């Protein structure tokens, strides 16, 4: 599974969740962050590129050979550059770049260290 840790500043960090790294990932999360759970990345990078929509804004999330996860928002004018950008990718996921078209598997907000939920995110 993939975890998107979002912030009020519209920035986000991505984490690939495994049973072995679940506790260390949890310890590194920021209080008040919006957490979105997505399906795991696909290892078939070519198929993901072949399935890109003909036009529109997309968010592409990928993991490189060192294990780092990166995301990039592009539109159809930048699709041609994606094979070079993803040349070292070992796994990838393509999401719609339009918030109203994105449906995570689960969403939550991380409480503050005292257990109180002080952040309110709109659905």
């Amino acid at each position: 599974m993939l975890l998107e840790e979002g912030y009020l500043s519209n920035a986000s960090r991505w984490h690939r969740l495994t049973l072995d790294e679940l506790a260390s990932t949890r310890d590194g999360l920021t209080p008040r962050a919006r957490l979105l759970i997505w399906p795991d990345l696909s290892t078939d990078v070519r198929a993901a590129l072949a399935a890109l929509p003909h036009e529109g804004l997309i968010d592409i999330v990928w993991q490189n050979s060192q294990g780092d996860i990166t995301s990039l928002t592009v539109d159809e004018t930048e699709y041609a550059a994606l094979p070079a950008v993803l040349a070292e990718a070992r796994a990838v996921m393509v999401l719609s770049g339009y918030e109203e078209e994105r449906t995570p598997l689960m969403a939550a907000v991380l409480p503050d260290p005292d257990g109180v939920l002080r952040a309110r995110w709109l659905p």
Side-chain angles (χ1 to χ4, degrees):
M1 298 194 122
L2 197 63
L3 173 69
E4 180 182 4
E5 179 184 6
Y7 304 98
L8 291 173
S9 63
N10 289 327
S12 62
R13 289 191 310 172
W14 293 89
H15 310 274
R16 199 163 185 191
L17 298 178
T18 64
L19 290 176
D20 294 338
E21 298 173 357
L22 190 58
S24 63
T25 300
R26 168 63 174 95
D27 291 342
L29 297 176
T30 303
R32 301 183 188 184
R34 178 181 63 167
L35 306 175
L36 302 175
I37 303 292
W38 298 97
D40 199 9
L41 300 173
S42 169
T43 57
D44 194 344
V45 177
R46 287 180 195 229
L49 287 172
L52 291 177
H54 295 291
E55 61 182 30
L57 198 62
I58 61 166
D59 286 330
I60 189 152
V61 182
W62 73 94
Q63 186 173 34
N64 65 20
S65 57
Q66 290 80 35
D68 300 321
I69 299 176
T70 306
S71 66
L72 182 65
T73 302
V74 298
D75 65 18
E76 67 276 359
T77 64
E78 301 165 294
Y79 288 0
L82 288 177
V85 170
L86 299 174
E88 298 297 319
R90 68 178 189 193
V92 66
M93 177 174 56
V94 178
L95 297 169
S96 172
Y98 304 104
E99 192 71 32
E100 64 275 6
E101 295 177 4
R102 293 172 60 152
T103 306
L105 299 173
M106 184 175 22
V109 176
L110 196 63
D112 284 343
D114 62 3
V116 176
L117 183 61
R118 293 185 177 89
R120 302 237 193 281
W121 289 81
L122 296 175

